[in-house]
Structures are given as C-alpha cells and as structure tokens.
Amino acid sequence: MEAVDHSEREKRVREFVESKAAVNGIVDSGTTKIPAMFVHPQETLQQNSMDQWIMSFGFQYVIDLKGLDQSIERRKEVISEISKAAEAWGFFQMVNHGVPLDVMEEVLKSVRRFHEQPHEAKVKWYSLDFTKKFTVNYFSNGDLKASTPADWRDTLSCNCQFLEDESNFRALPQVCGLISQFIHQL
C-alpha cells in the first residue's frame, strides 16, 4: 500500500473547499485525472463491491408507503423497513408516497439546472454550515477529512424547516424557483 502524505492531502482538501467549485468545478476545469483525494484504496473497493452490497441487503431497496395512514401495524412495518434500509444502505426508494410525478420531475430538472450553471452562479450557495434554521447549501462532501477518500459528488440541499414558511421560497436559487409552485400543489 502506498504511503499517504497527510499534510499534502490536507492542503489539497483545504484548497478544494476554499475553491467552492465542488466536483463539477474539477470537471469544468478540463482535468483528465481524478484527484487523489477522491481515489479509494483498492481493498476498500473490493470490500464494497456492488454485488456484495446488493446481496447483503437482499434486494430490498424499495419501500412501499401504500396504506401507511390506514393502520398502526402498517405504520410500524413501514418504519421498520425504513430503519433497516437506512442502517444497511443509507438510502432507499419510496413508492406510493403521493408526490405527483410532475412535481418530482420538476425538482430533478431544477436541481440539474442549478448544477449546470457556471461556477460564478453557484458559488454564493456554497457552504458547509448546516447549523442555520433556514439554509440552502451547495457543497461537495459535507465532512471532508484528509484521512479518508472523498466522494465524487455535489449536493444542493434545502433544510426541510426552510420550506415551512412560504416566504423562504424567495431564498431558493432562481433556477430552482419553480419548485415552490409545484410543492404548493401537494
């Protein structure tokens, strides 16, 4: 295994965060090589191969919310499924949740529009401060450390409490503004 220079890695992580360009900024820069801070050790990749990952959970990644509001037993069953999926995978798909397809599609389009903007338009949203009650954050890897490989991803998040007050929708990035009209349909 190759020795890691943590001071050099810490410098690269700090530069990455300070650039506020996120992963998309790396791609936009024209780089042809994935930076070392995103490279996972081969032994980790082998341990977490997709086949092992899927097999360990028994292909149960879809949670059906149908009947959730009809009985306490069904509610407990759904909560148990969510708990197991969150513990085993950290994510899952929910179906029969009542959110119209056009709303989901518009949310995805809005997020895509946000990520496809030039760096200058996104940088004002870049923040790793998740303590504020009303926040919209654009970031890449919420917990970057010099000792662990970063994930190749960018995220646009909106604190759920943020959406409780309709006036907060004005604080959304302009390219995501259509989300509010769709959410009000719910």
Side-chain angles (χ1 to χ4, degrees):
M1 186 164 148
E2 189 178 313
V4 176
D5 179 354
H6 287 286
S7 61
E8 181 62 25
R9 185 170 168 81
E10 287 173 11
K11 177 183 172 197
R12 297 285 179 235
V13 167
R14 188 173 51 257
E15 288 171 351
F16 175 73
V17 171
E18 289 172 358
S19 77
K20 298 182 179 183
V23 169
N24 209 347
I26 294 171
V27 173
D28 291 345
S29 74
T31 189
T32 58
K33 185 176 180 192
I34 296 174
M37 66 184 276
F38 293 98
V39 177
H40 291 250
Q42 187 64 34
E43 59 272 10
T44 303
L45 295 175
Q46 290 170 346
Q47 288 174 348
N48 297 320
S49 75
M50 185 61 81
D51 290 342
Q52 291 174 345
W53 186 61
I54 291 172
M55 293 301 287
S56 70
F57 199 68
F59 296 95
Q60 296 175 14
Y61 58 89
V62 177
I63 297 175
D64 189 348
L65 299 181
K66 187 174 184 177
L68 177 69
D69 58 347
Q70 294 177 353
S71 74
I72 291 176
E73 292 79 23
R74 176 67 182 136
R75 183 177 173 84
K76 287 180 181 178
E77 182 181 310
V78 169
I79 290 170
S80 175
E81 290 174 21
I82 291 171
S83 178
K84 288 176 187 174
E87 184 177 325
W89 279 12
F91 71 94
F92 44 87
Q93 178 183 2
M94 295 189 298
V95 296
N96 295 318
H97 43 64
V99 178
L101 182 59
D102 61 335
V103 172
M104 292 189 301
E105 287 173 349
E106 181 54 37
V107 169
L108 290 173
K109 287 176 187 175
S110 293
V111 172
R112 183 172 289 118
R113 281 192 303 267
F114 177 85
H115 286 287
E116 291 174 348
Q117 295 180 104
H119 170 69
E120 298 76 28
K122 296 182 287 191
V123 70
K124 75 178 193 173
W125 301 100
Y126 195 94
S127 175
L128 295 174
D129 181 0
F130 304 103
T131 61
K132 297 175 184 173
K133 184 176 180 182
F134 302 115
T135 58
V136 175
N137 292 58
Y138 168 57
F139 61 96
S140 180
N141 294 270
D143 188 22
L144 278 172
K145 296 178 182 162
S147 61
T148 56
D151 293 320
W152 187 261
R153 68 159 186 249
D154 289 343
T155 302
L156 177 65
S157 72
C158 180
N159 184 317
C160 290
Q161 293 175 346
F162 180 92
L163 301 176
E164 292 174 358
D165 182 351
E166 188 173 327
S167 66
N168 291 325
F169 283 105
R170 289 188 295 272
L172 286 170
Q174 188 174 6
V175 296
C176 298
L178 293 176
I179 293 174
S180 62
Q181 71 181 347
F182 284 95
I183 290 175
H184 290 302
Q185 292 177 9
L186 301 178

